[in-house]
Amino acid sequence: MKIDIIGRNYEVSERLKQITNQKLGKLDKYFDSSDVLVKVCFKKEASALTTEVMLDYTGKFVRATASSNNFYDNLDVVLPKLEGQIRKHRTRFDKHQKNAAFRDVAVYETADREEKKAEVVKEKKFKLTPMTVDEAKEEMELLGHSFYVFLEAKTNTVQVLYARADGDLGLIEPEI
């Protein structure tokens, strides 16, 4: 497990680095290989201290954030969130592996058990007009949506602007 610790508007102490490495090291039991990348960001903002931890393993991303007035307390809040998400991903993976093991048709099929699957219930088409990120932000606010798809004027690529849980905005740009 490779752990990168970053401080934004804050100088991370050796003690905090040591405790972070020690606590994140306990998550090593969930991974078979050492190619897990962990990025820990300690941010000092005007009103609170925020800890954000992102794990990248085999193309899966797990992220958790906590804010308070103490980075050590944030670690204690973030780690159970991460562990729960990792367990959820592993459970889904295990279920997928087990379901793939049974390729034959079921012998005892029960007709009364019906599972509801998500379906596409609405399709929408619209023209993409070139605009800047600021213009897309205004359009998204006017529409009252949590995301907005647009054609970026400078690069001529399709991008997605979205509202994050913390109230800020995120931008998804495709890599070409």
Side-chain angles (χ1 to χ4, degrees):
M1 181 180 291
K2 183 177 184 275
I3 301 173
D4 290 333
I5 299 175
I6 300 168
R8 295 215 174 114
N9 298 330
Y10 178 76
E11 184 67 34
V12 181
S13 68
E14 286 300 318
R15 177 81 176 131
L16 183 56
K17 287 181 183 179
Q18 180 184 12
I19 290 176
T20 302
N21 284 326
Q22 177 185 2
K23 290 189 176 196
L24 286 172
K26 293 180 181 178
L27 296 177
D28 226 4
K29 65 184 177 185
Y30 291 107
F31 308 107
D32 296 332
S33 61
S34 62
D35 60 343
V36 178
L37 301 174
V38 181
K39 182 178 176 185
V40 182
C41 185
F42 295 105
K43 300 178 197 173
K44 184 176 182 181
E45 297 169 340
S47 61
L49 302 175
T50 304
T51 303
E52 181 179 26
V53 180
M54 293 172 285
L55 277 110
D56 177 11
Y57 63 98
T58 64
K60 304 263 191 276
F61 291 98
V62 177
R63 180 181 166 274
T65 305
S67 291
S68 72
N69 58 357
N70 186 341
F71 284 126
Y72 298 98
D73 292 341
N74 289 348
L75 281 174
D76 292 335
V77 172
V78 165
L79 290 173
K81 289 181 183 179
L82 285 173
E83 192 171 23
Q85 289 181 27
I86 291 168
R87 272 193 262 119
K88 186 167 82 172
H89 279 289
R90 289 187 61 113
T91 303
R92 284 183 181 167
F93 177 75
D94 290 344
K95 281 183 182 177
H96 177 72
Q97 293 295 352
K98 288 177 185 174
N99 289 340
F102 300 105
R103 294 201 170 104
D104 290 337
V105 179
V107 177
Y108 303 106
E109 189 69 35
T110 57
D112 57 343
R113 193 177 78 194
E114 187 175 311
E115 294 182 23
K116 185 176 188 310
K117 295 183 180 179
E119 295 181 25
V120 177
V121 295
K122 183 178 180 180
E123 289 184 22
K124 191 172 189 177
K125 294 181 182 182
F126 58 94
K127 291 190 179 215
L128 292 176
T129 56
M131 62 178 65
T132 65
V133 175
D134 291 331
E135 292 170 338
K137 177 183 169 189
E138 290 174 10
E139 286 288 325
M140 185 174 86
E141 289 172 356
L142 287 173
L143 291 171
H145 290 176
S146 59
F147 69 94
Y148 189 75
V149 179
F150 67 101
L151 186 66
E152 211 282 323
K154 293 178 187 172
T155 60
N156 204 29
T157 58
V158 176
Q159 298 183 1
V160 179
L161 185 69
Y162 64 97
R164 293 172 44 100
D166 61 4
D168 290 332
L169 297 176
L171 182 67
I172 300 174
E173 300 179 49
E175 280 187 21
I176 299 174

